[in-house]
mmCIF file of all heavy atoms in Angstrom:
data_model
loop_
_atom_site.group_PDB
_atom_site.id
_atom_site.type_symbol
_atom_site.label_atom_id
_atom_site.label_comp_id
_atom_site.label_asym_id
_atom_site.label_seq_id
_atom_site.Cartn_x
_atom_site.Cartn_y
_atom_site.Cartn_z
ATOM 1 N N ARG A 32 -28.439 15.747 14.546
ATOM 2 C CA ARG A 32 -28.181 16.227 13.199
ATOM 3 C C ARG A 32 -27.580 15.083 12.384
ATOM 4 O O ARG A 32 -26.710 14.367 12.869
ATOM 5 C CB ARG A 32 -27.186 17.399 13.258
ATOM 6 C CG ARG A 32 -26.796 17.947 11.897
ATOM 7 C CD ARG A 32 -25.680 18.971 12.047
ATOM 8 N NE ARG A 32 -25.229 19.460 10.754
ATOM 9 C CZ ARG A 32 -24.140 20.203 10.563
ATOM 10 N NH1 ARG A 32 -23.382 20.521 11.603
ATOM 11 N NH2 ARG A 32 -23.801 20.596 9.363
ATOM 12 N N ARG A 33 -28.030 14.905 11.149
ATOM 13 C CA ARG A 33 -27.480 13.841 10.304
ATOM 14 C C ARG A 33 -26.014 14.127 9.978
ATOM 15 O O ARG A 33 -25.621 15.260 9.725
ATOM 16 C CB ARG A 33 -28.280 13.713 8.998
ATOM 17 C CG ARG A 33 -29.698 13.218 9.189
ATOM 18 C CD ARG A 33 -30.252 12.690 7.871
ATOM 19 N NE ARG A 33 -30.175 13.652 6.799
ATOM 20 C CZ ARG A 33 -31.120 14.539 6.494
ATOM 21 N NH1 ARG A 33 -32.231 14.588 7.210
ATOM 22 N NH2 ARG A 33 -30.975 15.364 5.482
ATOM 23 N N ALA A 34 -25.218 13.068 9.961
ATOM 24 C CA ALA A 34 -23.794 13.212 9.692
ATOM 25 C C ALA A 34 -23.255 11.937 9.050
ATOM 26 O O ALA A 34 -23.918 10.897 9.058
ATOM 27 C CB ALA A 34 -23.037 13.513 10.986
ATOM 28 N N ALA A 35 -22.068 12.040 8.492
ATOM 29 C CA ALA A 35 -21.430 10.890 7.846
ATOM 30 C C ALA A 35 -19.938 10.938 8.105
ATOM 31 O O ALA A 35 -19.335 12.009 8.189
ATOM 32 C CB ALA A 35 -21.697 10.899 6.343
ATOM 33 N N GLY A 71 -18.339 14.643 8.986
ATOM 34 C CA GLY A 71 -18.994 15.845 9.467
ATOM 35 C C GLY A 71 -20.473 15.822 9.172
ATOM 36 O O GLY A 71 -21.020 14.835 8.672
ATOM 37 N N GLY A 72 -21.125 16.937 9.468
ATOM 38 C CA GLY A 72 -22.562 17.030 9.313
ATOM 39 C C GLY A 72 -23.009 17.133 7.863
ATOM 40 O O GLY A 72 -22.276 17.593 6.994
ATOM 41 N N VAL A 73 -24.244 16.692 7.623
ATOM 42 C CA VAL A 73 -24.846 16.809 6.299
ATOM 43 C C VAL A 73 -25.192 18.271 6.041
ATOM 44 O O VAL A 73 -25.757 18.949 6.896
ATOM 45 C CB VAL A 73 -26.115 15.931 6.197
ATOM 46 C CG1 VAL A 73 -26.867 16.200 4.894
ATOM 47 C CG2 VAL A 73 -25.751 14.455 6.301
ATOM 48 N N ASP A 74 -24.846 18.750 4.854
ATOM 49 C CA ASP A 74 -25.203 20.092 4.393
ATOM 50 C C ASP A 74 -26.558 19.973 3.690
ATOM 51 O O ASP A 74 -26.741 19.069 2.874
ATOM 52 C CB ASP A 74 -24.128 20.582 3.415
ATOM 53 C CG ASP A 74 -24.356 22.007 2.926
ATOM 54 O OD1 ASP A 74 -25.518 22.446 2.844
ATOM 55 O OD2 ASP A 74 -23.365 22.675 2.580
ATOM 56 N N PRO A 75 -27.534 20.837 3.997
ATOM 57 C CA PRO A 75 -28.824 20.759 3.303
ATOM 58 C C PRO A 75 -28.677 20.726 1.781
ATOM 59 O O PRO A 75 -29.490 20.118 1.076
ATOM 60 C CB PRO A 75 -29.545 22.032 3.766
ATOM 61 C CG PRO A 75 -28.960 22.322 5.116
ATOM 62 C CD PRO A 75 -27.502 21.920 5.004
ATOM 63 N N ARG A 76 -27.604 21.334 1.280
ATOM 64 C CA ARG A 76 -27.387 21.350 -0.173
ATOM 65 C C ARG A 76 -26.906 20.009 -0.717
ATOM 66 O O ARG A 76 -26.833 19.817 -1.934
ATOM 67 C CB ARG A 76 -26.375 22.451 -0.529
ATOM 68 C CG ARG A 76 -26.837 23.846 -0.138
ATOM 69 C CD ARG A 76 -25.783 24.893 -0.423
ATOM 70 N NE ARG A 76 -24.549 24.642 0.319
ATOM 71 C CZ ARG A 76 -23.435 25.347 0.155
ATOM 72 N NH1 ARG A 76 -23.395 26.347 -0.721
ATOM 73 N NH2 ARG A 76 -22.361 25.071 0.864
ATOM 74 N N ASP A 77 -26.598 19.061 0.188
ATOM 75 C CA ASP A 77 -26.188 17.728 -0.262
ATOM 76 C C ASP A 77 -27.335 16.971 -0.923
ATOM 77 O O ASP A 77 -27.119 15.914 -1.530
ATOM 78 C CB ASP A 77 -25.638 16.910 0.918
ATOM 79 C CG ASP A 77 -24.265 17.391 1.374
ATOM 80 O OD1 ASP A 77 -23.511 17.907 0.530
ATOM 81 O OD2 ASP A 77 -23.963 17.246 2.575
ATOM 82 N N GLU A 78 -28.553 17.486 -0.826
ATOM 83 C CA GLU A 78 -29.694 16.855 -1.491
ATOM 84 C C GLU A 78 -29.843 17.316 -2.939
ATOM 85 O O GLU A 78 -30.677 16.790 -3.674
ATOM 86 C CB GLU A 78 -30.992 17.152 -0.719
ATOM 87 C CG GLU A 78 -31.086 16.468 0.630
ATOM 88 C CD GLU A 78 -32.464 16.589 1.254
ATOM 89 O OE1 GLU A 78 -33.409 17.012 0.544
ATOM 90 O OE2 GLU A 78 -32.612 16.255 2.447
ATOM 91 N N ARG A 79 -29.058 18.295 -3.367
ATOM 92 C CA ARG A 79 -29.174 18.782 -4.739
ATOM 93 C C ARG A 79 -28.763 17.691 -5.728
ATOM 94 O O ARG A 79 -27.884 16.873 -5.442
ATOM 95 C CB ARG A 79 -28.298 20.021 -4.933
ATOM 96 C CG ARG A 79 -28.777 21.238 -4.152
ATOM 97 C CD ARG A 79 -27.909 22.454 -4.454
ATOM 98 N NE ARG A 79 -28.349 23.605 -3.695
ATOM 99 C CZ ARG A 79 -27.751 24.802 -3.737
ATOM 100 N NH1 ARG A 79 -26.666 24.971 -4.505
ATOM 101 N NH2 ARG A 79 -28.199 25.811 -3.020
ATOM 102 N N PRO A 80 -29.375 17.671 -6.926
ATOM 103 C CA PRO A 80 -29.065 16.628 -7.922
ATOM 104 C C PRO A 80 -27.586 16.615 -8.306
ATOM 105 O O PRO A 80 -26.980 17.672 -8.518
ATOM 106 C CB PRO A 80 -29.940 17.021 -9.115
ATOM 107 C CG PRO A 80 -31.050 17.828 -8.532
ATOM 108 C CD PRO A 80 -30.432 18.589 -7.402
ATOM 109 N N VAL A 81 -27.010 15.424 -8.375
ATOM 110 C CA VAL A 81 -25.627 15.250 -8.822
ATOM 111 C C VAL A 81 -25.579 14.061 -9.775
ATOM 112 O O VAL A 81 -26.437 13.175 -9.726
ATOM 113 C CB VAL A 81 -24.669 14.986 -7.634
ATOM 114 C CG1 VAL A 81 -24.621 16.170 -6.686
ATOM 115 C CG2 VAL A 81 -25.070 13.719 -6.886
ATOM 116 N N TRP A 83 -24.545 10.547 -10.773
ATOM 117 C CA TRP A 83 -24.472 9.479 -9.768
ATOM 118 C C TRP A 83 -24.148 8.159 -10.425
ATOM 119 O O TRP A 83 -24.750 7.796 -11.436
ATOM 120 C CB TRP A 83 -25.835 9.400 -9.080
ATOM 121 C CG TRP A 83 -25.969 8.480 -7.917
ATOM 122 C CD1 TRP A 83 -26.208 7.140 -7.966
ATOM 123 C CD2 TRP A 83 -25.922 8.829 -6.532
ATOM 124 N NE1 TRP A 83 -26.303 6.628 -6.690
ATOM 125 C CE2 TRP A 83 -26.138 7.647 -5.795
ATOM 126 C CE3 TRP A 83 -25.722 10.030 -5.846
ATOM 127 C CZ2 TRP A 83 -26.154 7.636 -4.395
ATOM 128 C CZ3 TRP A 83 -25.732 10.018 -4.461
ATOM 129 C CH2 TRP A 83 -25.951 8.826 -3.747
ATOM 130 N N ARG A 88 -30.133 5.767 -5.753
ATOM 131 C CA ARG A 88 -30.575 6.390 -4.511
ATOM 132 C C ARG A 88 -31.621 5.524 -3.826
ATOM 133 O O ARG A 88 -31.644 5.412 -2.597
ATOM 134 C CB ARG A 88 -31.122 7.781 -4.808
ATOM 135 C CG ARG A 88 -30.076 8.760 -5.353
ATOM 136 C CD ARG A 88 -30.752 9.959 -6.002
ATOM 137 N NE ARG A 88 -29.815 10.936 -6.514
ATOM 138 C CZ ARG A 88 -29.160 10.821 -7.680
ATOM 139 N NH1 ARG A 88 -29.328 9.726 -8.419
ATOM 140 N NH2 ARG A 88 -28.345 11.765 -8.086
ATOM 141 N N PRO A 99 -35.094 8.202 -0.309
ATOM 142 C CA PRO A 99 -34.013 8.406 -1.282
ATOM 143 C C PRO A 99 -33.302 9.751 -1.159
ATOM 144 O O PRO A 99 -32.082 9.821 -1.320
ATOM 145 C CB PRO A 99 -34.732 8.270 -2.630
ATOM 146 C CG PRO A 99 -35.864 7.328 -2.349
ATOM 147 C CD PRO A 99 -36.329 7.718 -0.974
ATOM 148 N N ALA A 100 -34.025 10.832 -0.876
ATOM 149 C CA ALA A 100 -33.384 12.143 -0.764
ATOM 150 C C ALA A 100 -32.416 12.174 0.414
ATOM 151 O O ALA A 100 -31.307 12.707 0.316
ATOM 152 C CB ALA A 100 -34.436 13.241 -0.608
ATOM 153 N N THR A 101 -32.840 11.574 1.523
ATOM 154 C CA THR A 101 -31.963 11.516 2.702
ATOM 155 C C THR A 101 -30.752 10.633 2.431
ATOM 156 O O THR A 101 -29.631 10.967 2.819
ATOM 157 C CB THR A 101 -32.740 10.993 3.913
ATOM 158 O OG1 THR A 101 -33.825 11.881 4.204
ATOM 159 C CG2 THR A 101 -31.839 10.868 5.133
ATOM 160 N N ALA A 102 -30.987 9.509 1.746
ATOM 161 C CA ALA A 102 -29.881 8.607 1.420
ATOM 162 C C ALA A 102 -28.846 9.335 0.578
ATOM 163 O O ALA A 102 -27.636 9.238 0.834
ATOM 164 C CB ALA A 102 -30.403 7.380 0.680
ATOM 165 N N GLN A 103 -29.305 10.088 -0.433
ATOM 166 C CA GLN A 103 -28.358 10.826 -1.263
ATOM 167 C C GLN A 103 -27.585 11.844 -0.444
ATOM 168 O O GLN A 103 -26.363 11.971 -0.571
ATOM 169 C CB GLN A 103 -29.052 11.563 -2.410
ATOM 170 C CG GLN A 103 -28.025 12.416 -3.186
ATOM 171 C CD GLN A 103 -28.625 13.403 -4.160
ATOM 172 O OE1 GLN A 103 -29.331 12.981 -5.057
ATOM 173 N NE2 GLN A 103 -28.327 14.686 -3.995
ATOM 174 N N ALA A 104 -28.289 12.570 0.415
ATOM 175 C CA ALA A 104 -27.632 13.608 1.204
ATOM 176 C C ALA A 104 -26.535 13.016 2.088
ATOM 177 O O ALA A 104 -25.447 13.585 2.206
ATOM 178 C CB ALA A 104 -28.659 14.353 2.056
ATOM 179 N N ILE A 105 -26.809 11.871 2.691
ATOM 180 C CA ILE A 105 -25.824 11.247 3.581
ATOM 181 C C ILE A 105 -24.625 10.727 2.794
ATOM 182 O O ILE A 105 -23.471 10.909 3.193
ATOM 183 C CB ILE A 105 -26.485 10.124 4.397
ATOM 184 C CG1 ILE A 105 -27.548 10.697 5.335
ATOM 185 C CG2 ILE A 105 -25.441 9.342 5.191
ATOM 186 C CD1 ILE A 105 -28.450 9.655 5.969
ATOM 187 N N VAL A 106 -24.881 10.088 1.640
ATOM 188 C CA VAL A 106 -23.789 9.595 0.802
ATOM 189 C C VAL A 106 -22.965 10.764 0.269
ATOM 190 O O VAL A 106 -21.721 10.726 0.269
ATOM 191 C CB VAL A 106 -24.331 8.728 -0.346
ATOM 192 C CG1 VAL A 106 -23.225 8.400 -1.351
ATOM 193 C CG2 VAL A 106 -24.940 7.436 0.199
ATOM 194 N N CYS A 107 -23.628 11.822 -0.170
ATOM 195 C CA CYS A 107 -22.906 13.002 -0.647
ATOM 196 C C CYS A 107 -22.052 13.602 0.465
ATOM 197 O O CYS A 107 -20.908 14.007 0.238
ATOM 198 C CB CYS A 107 -23.885 14.056 -1.164
ATOM 199 S SG CYS A 107 -24.431 13.814 -2.868
ATOM 200 N N ALA A 108 -22.609 13.648 1.681
ATOM 201 C CA ALA A 108 -21.849 14.191 2.810
ATOM 202 C C ALA A 108 -20.603 13.348 3.072
ATOM 203 O O ALA A 108 -19.533 13.883 3.364
ATOM 204 C CB ALA A 108 -22.727 14.248 4.058
ATOM 205 N N ALA A 109 -20.735 12.028 2.961
ATOM 206 C CA ALA A 109 -19.590 11.144 3.178
ATOM 207 C C ALA A 109 -18.483 11.440 2.172
ATOM 208 O O ALA A 109 -17.299 11.553 2.533
ATOM 209 C CB ALA A 109 -20.025 9.687 3.072
ATOM 210 N N VAL A 110 -18.854 11.576 0.907
ATOM 211 C CA VAL A 110 -17.861 11.843 -0.144
ATOM 212 C C VAL A 110 -17.283 13.252 0.005
ATOM 213 O O VAL A 110 -16.071 13.462 -0.104
ATOM 214 C CB VAL A 110 -18.492 11.648 -1.536
ATOM 215 C CG1 VAL A 110 -17.492 12.008 -2.637
ATOM 216 C CG2 VAL A 110 -18.963 10.201 -1.708
ATOM 217 N N ARG A 111 -18.150 14.213 0.261
ATOM 218 C CA ARG A 111 -17.698 15.605 0.401
ATOM 219 C C ARG A 111 -16.752 15.765 1.597
ATOM 220 O O ARG A 111 -15.692 16.394 1.472
ATOM 221 C CB ARG A 111 -18.922 16.516 0.559
ATOM 222 C CG ARG A 111 -18.568 17.974 0.841
ATOM 223 C CD ARG A 111 -19.809 18.847 0.975
ATOM 224 N NE ARG A 111 -20.774 18.333 1.935
ATOM 225 C CZ ARG A 111 -20.628 18.398 3.258
ATOM 226 N NH1 ARG A 111 -19.532 18.945 3.790
ATOM 227 N NH2 ARG A 111 -21.575 17.923 4.067
ATOM 228 N N GLU A 112 -17.126 15.218 2.748
ATOM 229 C CA GLU A 112 -16.292 15.366 3.936
ATOM 230 C C GLU A 112 -14.942 14.670 3.780
ATOM 231 O O GLU A 112 -13.932 15.143 4.303
ATOM 232 C CB GLU A 112 -17.032 14.820 5.163
ATOM 233 C CG GLU A 112 -18.179 15.692 5.640
ATOM 234 C CD GLU A 112 -17.710 16.942 6.369
ATOM 235 O OE1 GLU A 112 -16.527 16.996 6.767
ATOM 236 O OE2 GLU A 112 -18.523 17.864 6.543
ATOM 237 N N GLU A 115 -12.982 17.126 1.857
ATOM 238 C CA GLU A 115 -12.677 18.313 2.656
ATOM 239 C C GLU A 115 -11.599 18.031 3.708
ATOM 240 O O GLU A 115 -10.720 18.867 3.933
ATOM 241 C CB GLU A 115 -13.941 18.824 3.354
ATOM 242 C CG GLU A 115 -14.959 19.465 2.422
ATOM 243 C CD GLU A 115 -16.166 20.011 3.175
ATOM 244 O OE1 GLU A 115 -16.115 20.060 4.430
ATOM 245 O OE2 GLU A 115 -17.159 20.376 2.519
ATOM 246 N N LEU A 145 -15.521 24.649 -0.500
ATOM 247 C CA LEU A 145 -16.492 23.710 0.067
ATOM 248 C C LEU A 145 -16.515 23.821 1.583
ATOM 249 O O LEU A 145 -17.590 23.867 2.198
ATOM 250 C CB LEU A 145 -16.140 22.272 -0.346
ATOM 251 C CG LEU A 145 -16.447 21.860 -1.781
ATOM 252 C CD1 LEU A 145 -15.771 20.532 -2.097
ATOM 253 C CD2 LEU A 145 -17.957 21.741 -2.003
ATOM 254 N N HIS A 148 -18.358 26.721 2.823
ATOM 255 C CA HIS A 148 -19.757 26.735 2.379
ATOM 256 C C HIS A 148 -20.005 27.797 1.309
ATOM 257 O O HIS A 148 -21.125 28.290 1.165
ATOM 258 C CB HIS A 148 -20.709 26.950 3.562
ATOM 259 C CG HIS A 148 -20.623 25.887 4.610
ATOM 260 N ND1 HIS A 148 -21.166 24.633 4.443
ATOM 261 C CD2 HIS A 148 -20.034 25.891 5.834
ATOM 262 C CE1 HIS A 148 -20.924 23.908 5.524
ATOM 263 N NE2 HIS A 148 -20.235 24.640 6.372
ATOM 264 N N LEU A 150 -19.296 27.025 -1.808
ATOM 265 C CA LEU A 150 -19.530 26.188 -2.977
ATOM 266 C C LEU A 150 -20.267 24.940 -2.528
ATOM 267 O O LEU A 150 -19.884 24.324 -1.534
ATOM 268 C CB LEU A 150 -18.183 25.810 -3.612
ATOM 269 C CG LEU A 150 -18.178 24.878 -4.823
ATOM 270 C CD1 LEU A 150 -18.827 25.565 -6.022
ATOM 271 C CD2 LEU A 150 -16.739 24.461 -5.166
ATOM 272 N N SER A 151 -21.331 24.601 -3.220
ATOM 273 C CA SER A 151 -22.047 23.368 -2.882
ATOM 274 C C SER A 151 -21.351 22.193 -3.544
ATOM 275 O O SER A 151 -20.665 22.342 -4.563
ATOM 276 C CB SER A 151 -23.500 23.438 -3.340
ATOM 277 O OG SER A 151 -23.591 23.317 -4.754
ATOM 278 N N PHE A 152 -21.528 21.009 -2.979
ATOM 279 C CA PHE A 152 -20.896 19.827 -3.552
ATOM 280 C C PHE A 152 -21.448 19.544 -4.947
ATOM 281 O O PHE A 152 -20.707 19.135 -5.844
ATOM 282 C CB PHE A 152 -21.114 18.624 -2.623
ATOM 283 C CG PHE A 152 -20.252 17.444 -2.965
ATOM 284 C CD1 PHE A 152 -18.872 17.558 -2.990
ATOM 285 C CD2 PHE A 152 -20.814 16.221 -3.259
ATOM 286 C CE1 PHE A 152 -18.063 16.467 -3.302
ATOM 287 C CE2 PHE A 152 -20.028 15.118 -3.568
ATOM 288 C CZ PHE A 152 -18.646 15.247 -3.592
ATOM 289 N N ALA A 153 -22.745 19.769 -5.142
ATOM 290 C CA ALA A 153 -23.359 19.549 -6.452
ATOM 291 C C ALA A 153 -22.732 20.469 -7.501
ATOM 292 O O ALA A 153 -22.426 20.037 -8.624
ATOM 293 C CB ALA A 153 -24.865 19.785 -6.367
ATOM 294 N N ASP A 154 -22.532 21.738 -7.154
ATOM 295 C CA ASP A 154 -21.921 22.675 -8.103
ATOM 296 C C ASP A 154 -20.462 22.316 -8.374
ATOM 297 O O ASP A 154 -19.967 22.453 -9.498
ATOM 298 C CB ASP A 154 -22.010 24.103 -7.570
ATOM 299 C CG ASP A 154 -23.432 24.658 -7.620
ATOM 300 O OD1 ASP A 154 -24.266 24.064 -8.346
ATOM 301 O OD2 ASP A 154 -23.701 25.663 -6.938
ATOM 302 N N PHE A 155 -19.779 21.867 -7.342
ATOM 303 C CA PHE A 155 -18.381 21.442 -7.490
ATOM 304 C C PHE A 155 -18.268 20.290 -8.494
ATOM 305 O O PHE A 155 -17.468 20.328 -9.427
ATOM 306 C CB PHE A 155 -17.840 21.031 -6.122
ATOM 307 C CG PHE A 155 -16.574 20.217 -6.148
ATOM 308 C CD1 PHE A 155 -15.370 20.780 -6.537
ATOM 309 C CD2 PHE A 155 -16.593 18.881 -5.763
ATOM 310 C CE1 PHE A 155 -14.200 20.026 -6.547
ATOM 311 C CE2 PHE A 155 -15.434 18.119 -5.771
ATOM 312 C CZ PHE A 155 -14.230 18.690 -6.163
ATOM 313 N N LEU A 156 -19.086 19.255 -8.309
ATOM 314 C CA LEU A 156 -19.044 18.115 -9.229
ATOM 315 C C LEU A 156 -19.492 18.522 -10.627
ATOM 316 O O LEU A 156 -18.887 18.124 -11.637
ATOM 317 C CB LEU A 156 -19.945 16.992 -8.709
ATOM 318 C CG LEU A 156 -19.511 16.294 -7.409
ATOM 319 C CD1 LEU A 156 -20.546 15.241 -7.016
ATOM 320 C CD2 LEU A 156 -18.139 15.653 -7.552
ATOM 321 N N LEU A 163 -20.368 11.183 -9.003
ATOM 322 C CA LEU A 163 -20.149 10.634 -7.668
ATOM 323 C C LEU A 163 -20.182 9.114 -7.740
ATOM 324 O O LEU A 163 -21.126 8.531 -8.267
ATOM 325 C CB LEU A 163 -21.227 11.154 -6.708
ATOM 326 C CG LEU A 163 -21.105 10.726 -5.246
ATOM 327 C CD1 LEU A 163 -21.628 11.811 -4.321
ATOM 328 C CD2 LEU A 163 -21.866 9.423 -4.974
#
Side-chain angles (χ1 to χ4, degrees):
R32 178 187 177 191
R33 293 199 305 270
V73 172
D74 183 330
R76 299 176 300 174
D77 288 330
E78 291 190 12
R79 293 183 181 178
V81 297
W83 186 277
R88 296 163 179 79
T101 299
Q103 175 192 301
I105 295 168
V106 171
C107 277
V110 176
R111 175 179 53 75
E112 287 285 344
E115 289 183 10
L145 285 168
H148 299 285
L150 177 67
S151 73
F152 193 58
D154 288 343
F155 164 69
L156 293 178
L163 183 148

